[in-house]
Amino acid sequence: MEELFKTYSQVYFSEGLGCEAPLFYAKRRQEHLKKLNSLCIYASGNPEFLYLTGINQNGIILVLDPLAQKEFLFLPEKDAKKEFWNGIQLGLPAPNMEKLTGFESIFSIKTFNSWFKNRLTTLKAKHIFSNEVIRRKLQSYKLKVKDVSKIHLEQRVVLEPERIAFAGRAQEIAKDAFLKILPRISSYKNERVLSADLECFMLRETSTGLAFPSIVAAGENACTLHYTKKDCPIEKGNLILLDFGCRYNSVCCDISRTIPVSGKFNPLQKLLYDIVVDTQKFHERNVKAGLTLKVLGKEAWLFLEKILKERFTDAGGRMKRRYKTKPHGISHLIGDIVHEGSQNRDYLTKPLRPGMLISNEPGLYGYFELELAGVFYSEHIGIRMEDDLLITENGCKNLSIGIPK
């Protein structure tokens, strides 16, 4: 069986699960079935389908039928030419598809339309569910098709024990990569070379890749939140902002660290860095189940502005920022995608639940000048520090605690 999972590792996520993978995904589907009151159809090609099946391949359909308490998988036919170009794919006919996927009922995708029409003749419900990938196509049958994403997300955004373990492993991989590049920082010629090393060290340890393309921003470049240019030199005296993460199985981590290239902060850099880190600690202390990210975020940004005034502005410091008091959200959900949850982020106003994973990423960006101990300092500075917090019954657990600051 292990050899079977290795063969299909490109299109079936079993990393960290081994031979238990089919049971793991089947358990998720059974839990999802309990929340449905009519037929539900998922097309592959998005995190929803991957979450329920472990399958990372287009052109597949999943049907969950809560009324019959059955689940069906519709696979394409094997295509030797496609596999010549793209590698091995799930398809029919092929032995062991049931053992690999955990489905007892697997049919050719060519039979889906006739199967679906026949099922509709006995369907008593007045609606069906589907995900965005296939919903428009199903509406051509003149059915009421409801979006299943809200039901799905309610389940997906809470990590079960297995995914909590995956999150922990992703943190370890990110930490090890960071520790490897840390002593070399001053020797890197430019941002691109540093980024290549950082990503390479992570990719060596996971088969499911990066969580997102890394941000490596030196000096003033760190004042651009989603900096992608990566071709500037790394100069001593500057700060460098690293925003990076990987996946383990399907779960992402999202880490940011800001470090001095020379190995030591100047007094202005240290003052601003401490403001960001202290805000991060403040937010972590406040986070707990039952509260909302909207309220928690507002409190954290107010805290940052308060200590910025006390420690910097009231001491004679001047600054220019391209924002007023909030450059970005301080927390987002993390899971099977790095910015988990609905695109409109309505989760910001919903109470946190144990098992959710969130970011904690205060930042400070702009031009700052201040005289300290008789020396005048002025500099464009971008600082972001980001940890991943697991919501618990009594507060939160910082999964990134081992990644140095």
Side-chain angles (χ1 to χ4, degrees):
M1 279 292 287
E2 287 186 10
E3 194 60 38
L4 179 65
F5 292 121
K6 288 180 182 178
T7 300
Y8 285 94
S9 62
Q10 176 180 312
V11 291
Y12 187 73
F13 281 16
S14 60
E15 184 177 57
L17 292 167
C19 297
E20 297 299 313
L23 292 174
F24 175 70
Y25 296 115
K27 183 179 177 181
R28 285 179 171 177
R29 293 193 297 273
Q30 289 302 309
E31 193 64 30
H32 194 43
L33 273 167
K34 296 175 185 177
K35 298 175 172 61
L36 301 171
N37 59 10
S38 185
L39 204 66
C40 183
I41 300 173
Y42 282 96
S44 60
N46 60 24
E48 297 169 346
F49 189 90
L50 179 62
Y51 173 84
L52 291 168
T53 65
I55 296 172
N56 184 34
Q57 178 181 317
N58 290 326
I60 299 174
I61 290 177
L62 163 69
V63 177
L64 298 177
D65 191 339
L67 304 178
Q69 282 297 300
K70 290 184 178 181
E71 51 186 41
F72 307 88
L73 193 66
F74 292 84
L75 294 178
E77 294 185 1
K78 277 282 189 178
D79 188 327
K81 288 184 178 180
K82 282 187 178 180
E83 291 192 339
F84 172 65
W85 284 95
N86 302 316
I88 195 163
Q89 304 281 295
L90 298 175
L92 298 174
N96 297 318
M97 284 295 102
E98 291 82 2
K99 288 183 179 179
L100 177 69
T101 64
F103 284 84
E104 294 181 2
S105 300
I106 302 178
F107 304 109
S108 168
I109 195 74
K110 290 182 177 181
T111 68
F112 173 74
N113 286 334
S114 60
W115 180 91
F116 182 56
K117 289 178 182 178
N118 183 61
R119 181 65 183 89
L120 289 180
T121 63
T122 59
L123 186 67
K124 295 180 180 179
K126 296 180 179 180
H127 65 272
I128 64 170
F129 293 99
S130 74
N131 63 344
E132 182 62 33
V133 179
I134 199 173
R135 196 161 75 244
R136 291 179 182 176
K137 180 180 178 182
L138 294 175
Q139 286 170 341
S140 65
Y141 287 91
K142 297 181 180 180
L143 287 165
K144 184 176 182 181
V145 182
K146 293 186 177 182
D147 184 6
V148 75
S149 61
K150 288 185 178 180
I151 297 173
H152 174 87
L153 281 170
E154 284 293 312
Q155 180 180 349
R156 194 175 89 205
V157 296
V158 176
L159 275 60
E160 59 270 79
E162 292 89 346
R163 280 197 297 163
I164 291 173
F166 297 158
R169 179 62 185 132
Q171 296 284 327
E172 288 297 316
I173 293 169
K175 180 187 77 172
D176 291 346
F178 180 66
L179 291 175
K180 284 184 171 69
I181 61 99
L182 197 55
R184 312 180 188 186
I185 289 293
S186 61
S187 67
Y188 287 109
K189 293 181 179 180
N190 58 46
E191 298 159 331
R192 184 185 67 256
V193 178
L194 194 165
S195 178
D197 260 10
L198 180 62
E199 293 184 348
C200 180
F201 288 131
M202 288 189 289
L203 289 169
R204 287 179 179 182
E205 301 300 326
T206 174
S207 67
T208 47
L210 301 176
F212 54 92
S214 303
I215 295 172
V216 176
E220 187 175 350
N221 295 334
C223 294
T224 300
L225 296 184
H226 287 170
Y227 175 75
T228 59
K229 197 162 170 276
K230 289 187 190 177
D231 62 356
C232 292
I234 295 174
E235 299 175 353
K236 290 185 177 180
N238 280 343
L239 298 180
I240 187 160
L241 189 157
L242 308 174
D243 193 336
F244 59 101
C246 65
R247 296 176 188 274
Y248 186 77
N249 192 285
S250 64
V251 182
C252 301
C253 68
D254 190 359
I255 308 298
S256 294
R257 293 292 183 264
T258 305
I259 52 180
V261 174
S262 61
K264 186 176 182 180
F265 295 104
N266 68 38
L268 175 62
Q269 292 170 346
K270 183 181 186 304
L271 186 153
L272 299 176
Y273 179 87
D274 286 344
I275 288 171
V276 175
V277 171
D278 287 347
T279 302
Q280 194 183 43
K281 292 176 181 177
F282 172 85
H283 188 50
E284 183 179 336
R285 288 194 299 270
N286 288 348
V287 165
K288 62 180 179 179
L291 301 180
T292 69
L293 290 180
K294 185 175 182 179
V295 170
L296 288 165
K298 183 178 181 180
E299 291 176 353
W301 288 121
L302 287 173
F303 177 83
L304 186 147
E305 292 300 315
K306 176 178 176 289
I307 61 175
L308 180 64
K309 180 179 183 299
E310 292 171 351
R311 302 180 193 180
F312 177 77
T313 310
D314 288 354
R318 295 190 296 177
M319 62 184 175
K320 293 180 181 179
R321 300 184 293 183
R322 287 188 283 178
Y323 60 95
K324 291 184 178 180
T325 59
K326 179 186 174 184
H328 49 70
I330 201 165
S331 290
H332 59 80
L333 291 178
I334 303 171
D336 289 5
I337 53 178
V338 72
H339 281 252
E340 187 59 278
S342 59
Q343 291 184 347
N344 62 10
R345 296 196 177 188
D346 58 1
Y347 62 80
L348 293 173
T349 59
K350 295 180 179 179
L352 292 169
R353 291 183 283 159
M356 286 181 169
L357 185 64
I358 67 169
S359 65
N360 177 8
E361 50 178 316
L364 187 57
Y365 317 87
Y367 172 78
F368 301 87
E369 57 181 41
L370 176 64
E371 184 176 315
L372 292 163
V375 180
F376 181 75
Y377 297 90
S378 63
E379 192 175 345
H380 284 90
I381 291 176
I383 298 170
R384 182 162 64 253
M385 301 297 288
E386 182 175 14
D387 291 343
D388 298 346
L389 307 178
L390 178 69
I391 309 302
T392 64
E393 294 287 349
N394 302 312
C396 66
K397 179 181 179 181
N398 188 342
L399 300 187
S400 314
I401 195 72
I403 304 176
K405 298 177 186 175

